[in-house]
Amino acid sequence: MKADPIGVRTGTLYLDGDRATAEGAIAAGCRFFAGYPITPSTECAELISERFPEVGGIFIQMEDEIASITAIIGAAWGGARTMTVTSGPGISLMMENIGLAIMLETPCVVANVQRGGPSTGLPTMVGQADVMQARWGSHGDYEIIAYSPQSPQEAFDFTIKAFNMAERYRTPVIVLLDECVGHMVEKVVIPPADTIEIEPRRLTDAAKDEYLPFAYGDDLVPDMAIAGMGYRFHVTGLTHDERGYPEMSVRCQEWLVPRLVAKIRQNADDIIEFDEENTDDADVVVVSYGISARVSRMAIDLAREKGIKVGFLRLRAIWPFPEKRVAELAKKIKSYVVVEINLGQIYYEVQRCAAGRCETLLSPHAGGGVHDPEDIFKVIEKGAKVK
Amino acid sequence: MRREIRITGFGGQGVILSGVIVGKAASIYDNKNATMSQAYGPEARGSACSTQILVDDKEILYPYIRKSDVLVAMSQEGFSKFVGELKADGVLIYDEDMVNPGEVKKGIKVYPIKAQRMAETDLGRKIVTNIVMLGFFTAVTQAVPKEAMVEAIKTSVPKGTIDLNLKAFDLGYDAFE
């Protein structure tokens, strides 16, 4: 299905990453937004509130972030494509009901424009320390999909992807921006609507008296009924059977939760996205994402000028993590250098997948700014000296 | 060639809009890469405020200023905060009614203008001070072609104020001999 032209502002715009996220959402068919303003994500909500009257969307400023995530889950079951956006303390408040969206298999998008933390931390300044929270922040076992744009253009592109994956796998998807990308203004090219592919909702065509809301086929994703289609069904955050009724038993938990995890894991190759450069002869491979990926490239150029063989693995999707590729490359390189604005998060993932086959080094940053390329270079230099 | 430009003043002077106009002019109407970003305090008005614009033919990797080529100062506080990051042969543009630069390091090229006074007396509208500044900046630095700046102004200011803003731009542009 193609994008509805009414929501696509085709042309060349000069936009920040927050607003590009908003344009991506509207282009992808988002017509319900509930949110609570918080720096540095507010520009996204502002633009949505301006644009929604033009496209017939509903914008609600909620009383807080808990209400915001809950409202978008409800709206998704009402048939809307939905999103909320937040940052810092706001994403922490949303965590419980991100789990609800996972348990109810609700397609929705949550954008988190990462700022420095913990707590209120650095409201107007950059961080990348919510990466593990995106993966594990809600209680219980689950898998998540998260994208990490490095520019406003990618904020637009990846938000559309996020909506599509949310529909395909019936799951919340996180767009994990950082303040730097959120507030940076660059050229954003918005293509014509008929070139934007939109994943339709997986609506059931089962007979009214035979519909089972959590029955599934080979791809492990159930078809959805939404309010108003005439189906009677029940959804709950409690462990539930294929009818959607609570059944709190080992048997039912074993039937439900492994499938919620497997529907992402078994389709991971369809979701995983990364850019790989110069890894063929590399001694060192830099792994990075978001704004840190751009800054890393400067350090890589510096290192290559000095004759160090450096490759680059840039994560476009952070979750699911490209485990297989990281494990393969580990066999033939001396070391990984992970560059991120935190004190070690993806670093541990890389180390886990490298499993001792090569060294894994971290170029950390506590937040509030981006790395000095010289600092990254020094870690690359150290990585090249590994025996 | 990468050029690093800083515009600074108080919140409410249109500093951020000025950054958007320069960046848009360079990237959309002059086909270069231009990354603009902003820094501001928690207050909406009156606090120190600045924008940085990086312009390059190549892809912009590092998103912030390291050593600026140009500083445009519309407040004393902004001037004091950012004069130190100017390159040894950088360009300093400032509003003389708002900034007293004192002793400036040798090598820095200094261009004063009375932008706010010109906006008030010649156009009767103090609000376009930032656009007078942009006209002057364009003439002095030639960092972005004049035509590109004009297009960017037309698509960035509120409808109904385009003529006023273009007059303000010309006023600043023509102030540079």
Side-chain angles (χ1 to χ4, degrees):
Chain A
M1 163 175 136
K2 303 294 180 191
D4 181 353
I6 195 178
V8 184
R9 229 169 120 195
T10 304
T12 304
L13 306 177
Y14 199 58
L15 282 183
D16 61 47
D18 283 2
R19 290 184 175 90
T21 301
E23 290 294 347
I26 299 167
C30 179
R31 296 293 181 271
F32 183 95
F33 180 99
Y36 186 80
I38 185 166
T39 303
S41 73
T42 306
E43 289 85 346
C44 177
E46 268 177 4
L47 184 61
I48 290 202
S49 73
E50 274 172 45
R51 292 266 284 122
F52 261 16
E54 302 164 13
V55 300
I58 296 171
F59 174 96
I60 307 181
Q61 182 169 323
M62 302 298 292
E63 66 269 35
D64 63 21
E65 288 87 350
I66 299 175
S68 303
I69 178 83
T70 316
I72 70 162
I73 294 170
W77 282 95
R81 286 168 190 270
T82 68
M83 182 171 83
T84 187
V85 60
T86 189
S87 181
I91 193 70
S92 291
L93 285 173
M94 287 186 187
M95 276 301 148
E96 178 187 351
N97 277 349
I98 286 176
L100 180 65
I102 283 163
M103 197 63 153
L104 302 189
E105 302 185 62
T106 308
C108 58
V109 173
V110 177
N112 173 12
V113 189
Q114 297 170 89
R115 63 192 223 183
S119 188
T120 34
L122 299 168
T124 61
M125 297 160 90
V126 68
Q128 289 183 320
D130 306 347
V131 176
M132 280 298 170
Q133 184 198 38
R135 174 67 188 83
W136 299 108
S138 198
H139 56 281
D141 272 315
Y142 63 94
E143 286 280 339
I144 198 86
I145 301 173
Y147 291 98
S148 176
Q150 64 168 0
S151 64
Q153 180 69 56
E154 284 191 350
F156 175 84
D157 297 339
F158 290 4
T159 301
I160 294 176
K161 268 181 211 289
F163 273 88
N164 286 344
M165 288 298 171
E167 296 295 342
R168 187 175 301 170
Y169 296 110
R170 277 192 58 186
T171 186
V173 176
I174 297 178
V175 183
L176 204 55
L177 298 104
D178 50 62
E179 182 275 340
C180 187
V181 171
H183 275 166
M184 107 186 345
V185 189
E186 288 185 342
K187 181 159 80 176
V188 176
V189 178
I190 299 185
D194 62 9
T195 64
I196 301 175
E197 206 56 54
I198 299 295
E199 187 96 6
R201 181 147 301 176
R202 307 174 57 119
L203 293 176
T204 182
D205 55 4
K208 295 271 179 337
D209 52 353
E210 286 172 12
Y211 175 59
L212 291 168
F214 294 96
Y216 57 88
D218 289 344
D219 70 353
L220 309 183
V221 186
D223 289 336
M224 197 170 176
I226 53 174
M229 280 171 71
Y231 291 89
R232 291 168 66 102
F233 60 95
H234 186 263
V235 294
T236 172
L238 290 167
T239 293
H240 45 269
D241 61 17
E242 58 185 1
R243 298 169 303 160
Y245 291 120
E247 186 193 320
M248 280 143 289
S249 68
V250 174
R251 191 198 65 80
C252 193
Q253 178 80 353
E254 185 61 32
W255 173 82
L256 175 63
V257 179
R259 177 181 63 78
L260 295 181
V261 168
K263 74 175 177 181
I264 306 298
R265 283 191 191 163
Q266 105 175 8
N267 294 301
D269 288 342
D270 174 50
I271 307 164
I272 287 171
E273 272 192 53
F274 54 83
D275 294 332
E276 193 176 321
E277 292 164 21
N278 301 319
T279 51
D280 285 350
D281 64 342
D283 289 328
V284 181
V285 169
V286 172
V287 181
S288 193
Y289 52 89
I291 191 59
S292 299
R294 283 170 68 159
V295 179
S296 293
R297 217 169 264 132
M298 291 183 72
I300 291 170
D301 289 349
L302 213 61
R304 292 188 83 86
E305 275 168 29
K306 305 224 163 144
I308 303 174
K309 290 176 185 164
V310 197
F312 192 29
L313 202 63
R314 201 267 290 194
L315 308 179
R316 294 158 65 88
I318 293 196
W319 305 116
F321 188 72
E323 297 176 346
K324 274 190 273 180
R325 191 60 189 144
V326 172
E328 273 165 22
L329 285 172
K331 287 181 208 156
K332 53 179 202 177
I333 63 173
K334 290 181 179 172
S335 60
Y336 278 117
V337 170
V338 183
V339 184
E340 48 189 347
I341 306 175
N342 58 53
L343 303 179
Q345 296 200 11
I346 286 298
Y347 165 65
Y348 291 108
E349 278 295 281
V350 173
Q351 199 176 48
R352 175 178 70 80
C353 298
R357 287 181 287 251
C358 71
E359 288 287 318
T360 304
L361 306 176
L362 173 66
S363 178
H365 192 301
V370 299
H371 288 74
D372 183 335
E374 282 287 342
D375 292 340
I376 303 171
F377 170 75
K378 281 179 199 148
V379 185
I380 294 174
E381 224 177 10
K382 205 170 138 198
K385 283 181 190 146
V386 168
K387 288 285 177 249
Chain B
M1 191 186 70
R2 180 173 165 121
R3 282 193 105 157
E4 307 195 342
I5 301 155
R6 167 95 60 187
I7 305 173
T8 180
F10 302 120
Q13 278 180 321
V15 167
I16 305 301
L17 178 64
S18 304
V20 168
I21 290 170
V22 174
K24 194 194 248 187
S27 76
I28 297 183
Y29 302 108
D30 192 33
N31 242 342
K32 295 219 167 58
N33 292 303
T35 302
M36 174 261 177
S37 61
Q38 51 185 295
Y40 49 83
E43 313 89 337
R45 279 172 189 69
S47 64
C49 167
S50 89
T51 172
Q52 35 189 305
I53 311 106
L54 316 167
V55 182
D56 205 333
D57 302 306
K58 293 190 299 187
E59 189 185 357
I60 292 166
L61 298 176
Y62 193 80
Y64 298 123
I65 283 178
R66 310 190 82 189
K67 276 280 180 190
S68 58
D69 298 278
V70 182
L71 172 63
V72 179
M74 298 200 281
S75 76
Q76 188 68 38
E77 190 185 350
F79 166 81
S80 306
K81 193 167 171 191
F82 295 113
V83 69
E85 71 178 16
L86 256 180
K87 281 183 186 160
D89 61 348
V91 170
L92 168 65
I93 296 170
Y94 65 95
D95 191 313
E96 339 179 32
D97 289 333
M98 288 180 279
V99 176
N100 174 9
E103 283 276 305
V104 176
K105 270 190 219 144
K106 247 172 91 179
I108 290 177
K109 298 181 270 296
V110 181
Y111 300 92
I113 180 178
K114 294 186 170 72
Q116 181 168 304
R117 202 180 300 185
M118 288 162 71
E120 264 179 318
T121 52
D122 295 9
L123 300 169
R125 299 296 302 277
K126 197 167 109 180
I127 197 164
V128 292
T129 302
N130 59 334
I131 306 294
V132 175
M133 263 306 196
L134 283 186
F136 190 62
F137 156 84
T138 307
V140 169
T141 64
Q142 300 291 325
V144 187
K146 185 181 179 189
E147 302 69 36
M149 287 294 288
V150 167
E151 285 308 308
I153 289 169
K154 283 187 199 164
T155 54
S156 304
V157 300
K159 289 200 177 61
T161 70
I162 293 176
D163 285 347
L164 172 67
N165 278 290
L166 291 181
K167 269 187 209 151
F169 183 81
D170 284 338
L171 192 63
Y173 194 90
D174 295 338
F176 178 65
E177 302 295 332

